[in-house]
Amino acid sequence: MPVHAVVLPATVLLVPGAAGLARPVDRLRRAVRDELVRAAGPDGAWPARWGVLAPATRTAVGRRRPSLGAAGIADRWVPGLDRWPARSVAGRGGVPASVVQLVLGEAVGADAAAEALVVELAADADDASLAGAADALSACDVLLVASGDPRGEGASSCTPAVATVLDRLARAGGWTATTRSVTAAGPHLPGRYDVVTWSGVAPTDQVADAANQPTPASSSQNRTVRPTRTVGT
């Protein structure tokens, strides 16, 4: 089944150069990269339309230039960020969105990552904002989601606003989740990170399936989406 979304921990340690020469989460980097590779098409081509969903101090939608400045990491310490395309960028993203966008840039290239639709959601985002975010991101081929609740509810949990939008997209698309847990030993590390991959039928298959259903009551929008399996590494 094609990959529609990958939820990854929004730790700056995923960004090359953020921890200097140290590489404390190498296994997590490999796990994230493995799941992103699954998003490529049968011919190995990357999806054309990427989306980024992340928590932030304020709600914003549009293209963003990543920055880890708020985490105390200057742009010059992040390899390749000085060459990040600046066209059509509305502003700088927050740290969670920036981490995800930089990970995407490392995988598919800065040019493609710069075109990603970035949706940042504040904790107090209202229902209209959440519905608008889900609608905007539904046009993307693959979504990258920043997990990690800044209120301290867990390294692998999404904020309520982010979780609400992701759940709406998963229910509408009939996606199911697979969780891959990665251990990470070291000072100040949580001990375990989760990478969650949401998969489902291809959009063309979904349209065909819907056309063959006798009533809307059997639509995938009425399903309850739950994790299907956990893979330890």
Side-chain angles (χ1 to χ4, degrees), residues 98-119:
S98 295
V99 168
V100 172
Q101 203 172 5
L102 287 166
V103 169
L104 177 61
E106 185 183 15
V108 306
D111 285 334
E115 297 296 326
L117 174 65
V118 179
V119 174

Side-chain angles (χ1 to χ4, degrees), residues 58-233:
R58 65 182 182 86
T59 297
V61 179
R63 292 191 179 94
R64 291 289 183 271
R65 184 183 190 279
S67 173
L68 302 180
I73 302 173
D75 288 357
R76 64 180 181 276
W77 296 341
V78 182
L81 189 54
D82 58 335
R83 298 187 299 275
W84 193 271
R87 60 185 181 280
S88 303
V89 174
R92 292 176 180 265
V95 172
S98 295
V99 168
V100 172
Q101 203 172 5
L102 287 166
V103 169
L104 177 61
E106 185 183 15
V108 306
D111 285 334
E115 297 296 326
L117 174 65
V118 179
V119 174
E120 296 181 288
L121 294 174
D124 60 354
D126 57 22
D127 288 341
S129 297
L130 298 179
D135 183 61
L137 292 169
S138 66
C140 296
D141 297 315
V142 180
L143 178 64
L144 269 64
V145 183
S147 67
D149 193 326
R151 299 172 305 173
E153 294 185 0
S156 299
S157 63
C158 293
T159 62
V162 169
T164 295
V165 171
L166 180 58
D167 183 66
R168 289 185 181 184
L169 292 168
R171 287 177 181 272
W175 306 347
T176 55
T178 300
T179 299
R180 180 175 181 178
S181 296
V182 181
T183 57
H188 312 299
L189 296 180
R192 191 193 81 178
Y193 292 100
D194 290 336
V195 181
V196 183
T197 303
W198 291 84
S199 305
V201 297
T204 53
D205 295 335
Q206 188 175 8
V207 171
D209 290 343
N212 293 326
Q213 296 300 322
T215 66
S218 58
S219 167
S220 62
Q221 295 187 24
N222 294 322
R223 299 180 190 173
T224 299
V225 180
R226 298 183 183 277
T228 55
R229 65 185 176 91
T230 300
V231 181
T233 59

